[in-house]
Amino acid sequence: MNSRRKGSTCAIEVQGLHKAFGPLSVLRRLSLRVEWGECLVLLGPNGSGKTTLLKVLATLARPDAGQVQVAGYDQRQYPAHVRAAVGMLGHHSLLYDELTPEENLRFYGRLYSVAGLEQRIAEVLKRVGMAERRRQRVRTMSHGMQRRVALARAILHDPPVLLLDEPESGLDQEALSLLKGILKGTVEHGGSVLMSTHNLEQGLALGDRIAILAGGRIAYLESARTLDAAAVQGAFRRHTGASL
Amino acid sequence: MTNFWRAVLTILWKDILLEVRAKETITPVLVFAFLVVIIFNFAFEPTPLLVVTVAPGILWVAFTFAGVLGLSRSFAVEKDKGSLDGLMLAPVGREAIYFGKLLGSFLFMLVVELLMLPPFLVLFNVPLFEPEFLITAMVATLGFAAVGTVFSAMSVNTRAREIMLPVLFFPIVLPVIIGAVAASGPILEEGSWSDIAGWLQFMVAFDAIFLVVSSLTFQFVLEE
């Protein structure tokens, strides 16, 4: 992993982030810090701003105010460095239907200037269990298979920071355990993961810390080691008025 | 090769591959352009005197409307699975995305124009495979694609993009269409380079200005 800035003290640092869409403020002076070697799980009801936060971190949306640093790079000053350091898996697969997984990854790999690209493509497709289907067009694949290829695309350039928006959606048990392996591998190698989810069980299993996003800011943040499902559900109800 | 050109060619390669695989755009665009030419052929009695007067207009009406159809698909394919976000997530300058998409649209339109020339030649019997006309078509098409790529990106997020694209785009690109029609007239009358030099210079200047302006404004269009 060479995309992080030398001397960067944490993977993600957000201070006073504000983002509005017209009159609707989605994020309100949000502050958050994710350490290297940590997986932070973000919980929140629909519309709480989880996707917006991930998009701002990935440079897909501009913050209205506040400071955002990813892998030691300021999001506004060094957007290309931030993009090189981030692997994002969102709601969409970002794949081209008429291309095969291999061709999709070759396309993205060239944009990211991935060294030893063909070898890396073979490696990541094997990691997500799609090596056998590397030459099948994406449009002929099931949703779950497309999600696996999308995951391969997100990790293709070996990013030190993974931003995952409900990554478990559409994955079967086998794919879920592959995902867990990839996330654990990233964290063990000193990288960081920020993932949003509605699946409390997965969140507790994968996260080092659990955060609840409510009212446009981090309303709750605790170490996952000290928590059980009932405690998180209680906190979720208290802060959002909804249940998980 | 620099990272910029590698990214431009990668985007171009992807667009060509997608079109070769799906043929989603070229077939309907060719059918449409061919129908336009056929309708005009029946609307006018193509006498030799009339043909040189109306043929440039007919030809560029066909090219222009076919081009708009192609441009409207240029960014629509990027929206289907959110792959526009994939492009925006890549650590390449927005200018590289602009020039990659521009080259794709430019080549697509050139192919459509080249495929339209033989039927036009048969129906109207005018000298189209002349270097003067081919250069005019290339220069005009480059200007068309340079402006159209930005407006295609701008309209892709609007609800009625098929309507919004021509409404926004035609007023800006009108000078280059007028230049193309005006330069094609003398060529069909078997004129020389000197007859079209003024219009060619005008279109080259238009291309240069809009290539610079469009590449600079593209990042704002893409991000907002």
Side-chain angles (χ1 to χ4, degrees), chain A residues 19 55 58-62 79-81 83-84 86 88 92-100 103 106-108 110-113 137-139 146 153, chain B residues 3 6-8 10-11 13-15 17-18 21-22 24 77-94 219-220 223-224:
Chain A
K19 177 71 185 172
K55 282 190 166 186
T59 75
L60 287 176
R62 283 186 196 186
H81 289 76
R83 287 180 210 128
V86 160
M88 184 162 183
H92 295 292
S93 69
L94 315 189
L95 302 172
Y96 295 95
D97 276 351
E98 291 300 329
L99 303 185
T100 65
E103 288 165 342
R106 195 171 292 131
F107 169 66
Y108 282 111
R110 285 177 184 165
L111 291 182
Y112 281 87
S113 304
R137 287 194 198 179
V138 167
R139 78 174 152 82
Q146 292 187 21
R153 182 201 52 74
Chain B
N3 283 346
R6 189 187 300 127
V8 169
T10 299
I11 293 165
W13 165 81
K14 181 267 297 172
D15 277 358
L17 197 56
L18 283 177
R21 290 268 168 84
E24 267 182 355
V77 294
E78 305 289 354
K79 283 298 279 184
D80 292 344
K81 287 280 174 76
S83 38
L84 187 58
D85 279 355
L87 282 179
M88 290 172 66
L89 278 170
V92 295
R94 302 317 196 208
Q219 63 170 317
F220 302 104
E223 287 173 12
E224 290 305 328

Side-chain angles (χ1 to χ4, degrees), chain B residues 38-76:
Chain B
I38 291 280
I39 289 166
F40 275 115
N41 187 54
F42 279 98
F44 301 105
E45 184 61 37
T47 61
L49 193 64
L50 187 63
V51 159
V52 291
T53 312
V54 298
I58 297 170
L59 191 62
W60 283 100
V61 164
F63 286 175
T64 301
F65 284 98
V68 168
L69 285 181
L71 282 170
S72 70
R73 288 295 303 159
S74 172
F75 275 87

Side-chain angles (χ1 to χ4, degrees), chain A residues 222-244:
Chain A
E222 283 293 334
S223 167
R225 282 184 211 148
T226 60
L227 292 173
D228 58 17
V232 179
Q233 277 169 343
F236 195 87
R237 254 195 308 275
R238 253 193 337 275
H239 290 286
T240 68
S243 50
L244 259 171

Side-chain angles (χ1 to χ4, degrees), chain B:
Chain B
M1 197 188 302
T2 62
N3 283 346
F4 174 82
W5 284 108
R6 189 187 300 127
V8 169
L9 295 178
T10 299
I11 293 165
L12 174 64
W13 165 81
K14 181 267 297 172
D15 277 358
I16 292 172
L17 197 56
L18 283 177
E19 190 50 45
V20 168
R21 290 268 168 84
K23 296 177 189 68
E24 267 182 355
T25 312
I26 197 154
T27 311
V29 164
L30 272 175
V31 169
F32 173 80
F34 188 64
L35 285 175
V36 169
V37 174
I38 291 280
I39 289 166
F40 275 115
N41 187 54
F42 279 98
F44 301 105
E45 184 61 37
T47 61
L49 193 64
L50 187 63
V51 159
V52 291
T53 312
V54 298
I58 297 170
L59 191 62
W60 283 100
V61 164
F63 286 175
T64 301
F65 284 98
V68 168
L69 285 181
L71 282 170
S72 70
R73 288 295 303 159
S74 172
F75 275 87
V77 294
E78 305 289 354
K79 283 298 279 184
D80 292 344
K81 287 280 174 76
S83 38
L84 187 58
D85 279 355
L87 282 179
M88 290 172 66
L89 278 170
V92 295
R94 302 317 196 208
E95 302 84 9
I97 300 175
Y98 169 74
F99 281 104
K101 297 300 290 181
L102 159 68
L103 281 180
S105 298
F106 176 62
L107 284 181
F108 173 83
M109 287 177 65
L110 280 186
V111 169
V112 169
E113 288 168 10
L114 277 175
L115 292 173
M116 280 309 298
L117 290 186
F120 200 85
L121 197 68
V122 169
L123 291 169
F124 291 94
N125 192 27
V126 284
L128 291 173
F129 284 100
E130 300 296 326
E132 290 91 338
F133 179 77
L134 297 177
I135 294 289
T136 300
M138 281 180 75
V139 173
T141 305
L142 181 61
F144 196 88
V147 179
T149 301
V150 173
F151 282 94
S152 176
M154 198 183 284
S155 64
V156 78
N157 287 319
T158 59
R159 257 180 267 174
R161 65 179 172 231
E162 287 80 8
I163 298 167
M164 288 308 291
L165 177 61
V167 167
L168 295 169
F169 169 58
F170 277 130
I172 308 293
V173 85
L174 199 58
V176 92
I177 298 173
I178 291 170
V181 173
S184 301
I187 297 167
L188 300 190
E189 289 176 44
E190 298 181 10
S192 63
W193 283 105
S194 58
D195 298 320
I196 62 167
W199 285 111
L200 262 184
Q201 285 168 1
F202 169 74
M203 286 190 286
V204 168
F206 180 98
D207 291 4
I209 291 167
F210 276 93
L211 279 172
V212 173
V213 171
S214 301
S215 63
L216 292 176
T217 53
F218 187 70
Q219 63 170 317
F220 302 104
V221 170
L222 212 55
E223 287 173 12
E224 290 305 328

Side-chain angles (χ1 to χ4, degrees), chain A residues 182-205:
Chain A
I182 288 168
L183 300 192
K184 281 190 174 164
T186 302
V187 169
E188 279 167 13
H189 285 92
S192 291
V193 179
L194 175 58
M195 64 176 273
S196 76
T197 183
H198 289 290
N199 187 327
L200 180 55
E201 190 189 334
Q202 296 292 340
L204 281 170

